[in-house]
Amino acid sequence: TRKESSAASDVYKRQVFNLSEINVGAKINLIKPSGWVPEVALLINQGFPSNTSDVRKQWPTKALLAWSYSLPANFGLSGNLGYINNKESFERDITFSHSLSYTLNLGYALKDDLGVFVEAFGEEVVNSTNGFPLNFDGGVWYRFTNKLQVDASVGYGNSVGNYYLNAGFSWLLLK
């Protein structure tokens, strides 16, 4: 009916304009770079819902095996393979899903504290027949101190046909 269609449209509009979850995590260095051996680390983070509306709330737990190479002429190549355990609530229902993810990133340092990057990435629910999606973005990062960095990017989700804008910051607590 018209009323149901309007209600579904309102939910969609609220989802589009909500902030994504807030993530808190840790990085554990596993291997130091040496010659052709990349730096390898385990990244673990927990997401917490940040929206206050009655729309979908998510709190994913992520584990990523990340690697990085320092290349000549201020270039860097990095990537990760990951597992995501996602919990999502909508009204009174809670669902769980398991996903695999990947990222491949090429970065260039313009200065010691300023750089740009492009990356390809995707995430797919386990047992899905859709295949891994291919998404692209590019952006800039700025390091205020050795412990505080901000970044911003714009991208395109090829599998769902949407554009997005992303901004964030990283703050190193221990070291």
Side-chain angles (χ1 to χ4, degrees):
T1 65
R2 175 110 174 111
K3 186 174 184 178
E4 289 171 353
S5 176
S6 176
S9 176
D10 288 345
V11 169
Y12 174 75
K13 287 176 188 173
R14 284 183 282 168
Q15 285 177 328
V16 168
F17 295 106
N18 274 328
L19 295 174
S20 62
E21 71 274 349
I22 295 170
N23 291 290
V24 176
K27 176 182 175 182
I28 302 164
N29 292 319
L30 302 175
I31 300 174
K32 293 185 179 198
S34 175
W36 285 100
V37 175
E39 176 183 16
V40 177
L42 178 64
L43 287 81
I44 301 169
N45 73 47
Q46 178 62 55
F48 298 96
S50 62
N51 61 28
T52 56
S53 66
D54 60 350
V55 229
R56 297 183 193 284
K57 292 182 168 83
Q58 296 182 340
W59 54 102
T61 305
K62 299 179 183 180
L64 303 172
L65 186 61
W67 55 269
S68 66
Y69 283 108
S70 290
L71 302 174
N74 294 340
F75 281 95
L77 182 64
S78 63
N80 64 60
L81 296 173
Y83 166 76
I84 299 105
N85 176 298
N86 193 41
K87 285 79 62 193
E88 180 176 49
S89 68
F90 182 65
E91 296 177 349
R92 295 182 187 181
D93 295 327
I94 296 178
T95 59
F96 297 89
S97 64
H98 307 279
S99 301
L100 300 175
S101 67
Y102 72 94
T103 302
L104 183 61
N105 176 297
L106 178 65
Y108 179 74
L110 300 167
K111 295 181 176 183
D112 287 343
D113 56 1
L114 178 67
V116 294
F117 63 89
V118 293
E119 62 187 358
F121 62 95
E123 175 183 324
E124 185 61 34
V125 175
V126 174
N127 294 328
S128 171
T129 58
N130 297 336
F132 271 88
L134 184 57
N135 304 294
F136 301 97
D137 70 10
V140 61
W141 57 266
Y142 180 76
R143 187 176 302 123
F144 288 100
T145 69
N146 286 339
K147 294 189 176 208
L148 179 63
Q149 178 175 311
V150 296
D151 61 65
S153 62
V154 294
Y156 178 71
N158 192 42
S159 59
V160 291
N162 66 354
Y163 294 91
Y164 57 90
L165 173 66
N166 184 44
F169 71 93
S170 298
W171 180 19
L172 179 63
L173 295 175
L174 305 173
K175 190 170 180 180

